[in-house]
């Protein structure tokens, strides 16, 4: 009997995945794992250089093929590969390669992995900058947190980044979204058809071992890739305002800050006398998280959902965060720690969690409930595959009904194509 051909997938990565450096890298690996469980044939390509913490995909059976921007060599590559599905990792890759995919593999389903809405994160960052310029108050940021969706739309609507990002969503057949809040923002305010979006949060295996007990843990921890602007801002807020408030109540407290690609400006903040330790990259984030009593995530802006908080839940480590940090990460479930709006409240909650074993154990139990109800790979992996297969089966109807996407592809791809061809011709002359 002739066996059916395995679905052939091409992933075009903004970077080579680094699951130990960022939540985005971890989410990409979770998506790839879902494909591998189906026996799909996967090729991963990227125009980026190789990072020092990149995952080795070849032992998983995934081909790795470097590609170039603005180079027609990609045309021959994708024509020969003839994928059934092309997954763009971040909208910039759809801008660069989408027209080439459509031209040479028009029947391939085009899927966008958004990671988070970059235009939302950027608009929130600008609001924070404006707020810091307008006021010396470094304690209360209540007005920054969780505004109405309409207000978020008004901050984003006129930005170039939002127009580019949402145009890419329209041009694709399906976009994977980690945040249900961002889905509602796109549907209710930007009028993106709901059928073009699929909720695919971080996907994890539930822990089988008992977490490290309260008595065997010590210290506070913050972790996050320093190349991600919200993480660097969180470190600054910790250093200037929150950590002094914690140390005033716990004079011997120690804070360990881990992050990939630690810049000199971060290491300059290290001060052992203040208990403020910049530790560089953690080779095993779950190990250091498991030894920690409380995770601190004082995010004043950002988007998507937070890998550091999922890691904390996996390790049974209660966390203190802000409404931005907790956004879209829980529904009816209780939060496994504390959600705060001011530096003073943040510090007080962190100290209480650190000292109060009963409260700490309750938060730990709430983390297990939240993980089981919202983040199981066993639930979201099959749901992702089912949605992709369904879209493949109805691809012609999806594209017919998405006239806005068709129109955007017609105009944007023409301009992008001509620009890419001009750059390629210019590069030949040089």
């Amino acid at each position: 009997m002739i066996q059916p051909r395995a679905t052939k997938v091409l992933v075009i990565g903004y970077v080579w995945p680094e699951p130990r450096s960022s939540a985005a890298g971890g989410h990409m690996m979770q998506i790839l794992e879902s494909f591998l469980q189906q026996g799909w044939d996967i090729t991963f390509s990227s125009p980026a250089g190789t990072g020092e913490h990149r995952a080795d995909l070849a032992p998983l059976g995934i081909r790795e093929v470097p590609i170039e921007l603005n180079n027609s060599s990609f045309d021959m590559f994708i024509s020969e590969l003839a994928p059934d599905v092309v997954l763009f990792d971040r909208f910039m890759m759809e801008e660069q390669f989408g027209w080439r995919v459509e031209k040479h593999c028009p029947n391939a389903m085009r899927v966008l992995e958004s990671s988070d809405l970059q235009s939302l994160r950027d608009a929130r960052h600008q609001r924070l900058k404006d707020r810091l310029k307008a006021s010396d108050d470094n304690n209360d940021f209540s007005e920054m947190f969780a505004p109405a969706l309409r207000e978020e739309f008004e901050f984003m609507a006129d930005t170039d980044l939002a127009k580019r990002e949402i145009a890419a969503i329209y041009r694709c057949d399906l976009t994977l979204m980690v945040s249900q809040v961002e889905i509602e923002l796109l549907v209710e305010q930007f009028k993106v058809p709901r059928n073009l979006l699929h909720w695919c949060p971080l996907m994890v295996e539930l822990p089988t071992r008992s977490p490290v007990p309260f008595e065997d843990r010590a210290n506070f921890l913050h972790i996050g890739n320093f190349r991600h602007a919200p993480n660097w801002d969180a470190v600054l807020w910790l250093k200037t305002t929150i950590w002094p408030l914690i140390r005033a109540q716990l004079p011997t407290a120690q804070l360990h800050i881990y992050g990939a690609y630690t810049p000199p400006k971060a290491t300059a903040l290290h001060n052992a006398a203040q208990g403020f330790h910049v530790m560089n990259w953690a080779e095993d984030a779950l190990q250091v998280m498991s030894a920690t009593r409380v995770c601190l995530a004082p995010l004043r802006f950002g988007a998507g959902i937070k890998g550091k908080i999922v890691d904390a839940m996996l390790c049974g480590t209660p966390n203190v965060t802000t409404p931005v940090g907790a956004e879209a990460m829980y529904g009816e479930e209780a939060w496994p720690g504390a959600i705060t709006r001011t530096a003073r409240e943040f510090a007080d909650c962190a100290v209480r969690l650190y000292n109060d074993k009963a409260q700490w154990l309750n938060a730990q139990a709430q983390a297990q409930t939240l993980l089981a109800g919202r983040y199981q790979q066993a639930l979201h992996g099959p749901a992702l595959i089912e949605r992709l297969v369904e879209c493949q089966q109805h691809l012609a109807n999806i594209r017919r009904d998405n006239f806005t996407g068709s129109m955007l592809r017609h105009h944007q791809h023409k301009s992008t194509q001509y620009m890419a061809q001009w750059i390629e011709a210019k590069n030949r002359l040089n």
Side-chain angles (χ1 to χ4, degrees), residues 26-34 176 198-206 305 310 314 374-384:
H27 194 232
M28 175 54 69
M29 294 302 296
Q30 293 157 9
I31 291 170
L32 294 175
E33 176 61 29
S34 297
L176 310 184
H198 176 73
W199 180 47
C200 183
L202 298 178
M203 301 179 283
V204 299
E205 301 288 344
L206 297 181
I305 59 177
V310 171
L314 285 170
R374 200 171 183 87
Y375 296 103
Q376 284 197 67
Q377 172 91 31
L379 297 175
H380 294 290
L384 171 61

Side-chain angles (χ1 to χ4, degrees), residues 49-77:
T50 55
E52 58 184 288
H53 307 309
R54 63 166 291 185
D56 188 3
L57 302 179
L60 302 176
I62 300 173
R63 286 182 297 277
E64 299 174 313
V65 181
I67 53 178
E68 293 184 42
L69 298 172
N70 305 308
N71 195 310
S72 56
S73 60
F74 179 85
D75 302 347
M76 183 177 297
F77 161 66

